[in-house]
Amino acid sequence: SLKEACNHLMSAPLFPVPPDVFQADVSFIDFAPGSTLTPTPDIHVETAPLDHPGRATGYRVEFAGRSVAVVTDTAHVPGKPNASALKLMRDVDFAIYDAMFTEEEFRARPDWGHSTWNEGAKLADMAGAKTLVIFHHDPSRTDDALDKILAKAAAVRPGTIAATEGETLIL
């Protein structure tokens, strides 16, 4: 459950205090991937299962005529577009996509549950997404290496951006 996951993440040695310290009125509402959630009447959140060991969920958030898809922690099968990712990314303003690996790195780790900027660009084109945002970068990459990856991605799909720490995207 979400509550159990939160309790686990907020326990030693991962975190110094448990969720019991929250002073807000916090509730946990479990859902099945594939559900549509409506946290408020004007916000709709589509969910879909992603291909990641131990499971992961992707999201499409719609509000005031704008939309963003977050497709993280997902692998892909080369030559076979991921139907869940395509559904979430269809005509969104921002498609935020897992770009952990280069194509070469992915071939050596197809079962790690992460993807490539190349696959993100293909899916964004197929889905008609306005802007591709590549993220979930390999933590061992240098800024220079990420700049080179972004240049390649932007050459293939103009307007592509790479998520950076502290960046804010405005819809």
Side-chain angles (χ1 to χ4, degrees):
S1 72
L2 290 174
K3 185 173 184 175
E4 291 168 338
C6 188
N7 283 333
H8 175 70
L9 288 172
M10 293 185 70
S11 64
L14 304 174
F15 204 73
V17 296
D20 297 341
V21 302
F22 292 159
Q23 294 186 17
D25 182 19
V26 177
S27 59
F28 297 88
I29 301 170
D30 290 316
F31 64 91
S35 301
T36 298
L37 312 172
T38 50
T40 69
D42 52 350
I43 297 175
H44 298 275
V45 181
E46 287 184 50
T47 67
L50 299 176
D51 184 13
H52 189 273
R55 300 181 302 166
T57 301
Y59 301 91
R60 175 193 178 101
V61 180
E62 298 177 1
F63 174 72
R66 301 292 186 170
S67 56
V68 61
V70 180
V71 181
T72 184
D73 292 328
T74 192
H76 66 275
V77 176
K80 183 179 177 188
N82 182 297
S84 291
L86 280 173
K87 180 180 175 188
L88 296 173
M89 294 168 69
R90 180 80 50 215
D91 299 319
V92 294
D93 295 290
F94 288 109
I96 302 171
Y97 190 82
D98 182 331
M100 173 74 78
F101 297 129
T102 63
E103 289 285 302
E104 181 179 291
E105 292 165 342
F106 179 80
R107 283 191 289 278
R109 302 174 184 99
D111 57 349
W112 280 33
H114 298 287
S115 193
T116 66
W117 68 262
N118 312 74
E119 188 68 14
K122 290 175 197 170
L123 293 173
D125 283 346
M126 292 174 72
K130 292 180 182 91
T131 301
L132 173 63
V133 181
I134 55 175
F135 90 123
H136 204 306
H137 310 296
D138 182 333
S140 68
R141 295 227 196 282
T142 64
D143 288 347
D144 288 342
L146 284 174
D147 288 343
K148 289 176 184 171
I149 287 171
L150 176 58
K152 289 177 186 176
V156 169
R157 192 166 202 282
T160 294
I161 58 178
T164 59
E165 186 173 346
E167 181 175 26
T168 299
L169 300 175
I170 299 175
L171 290 170

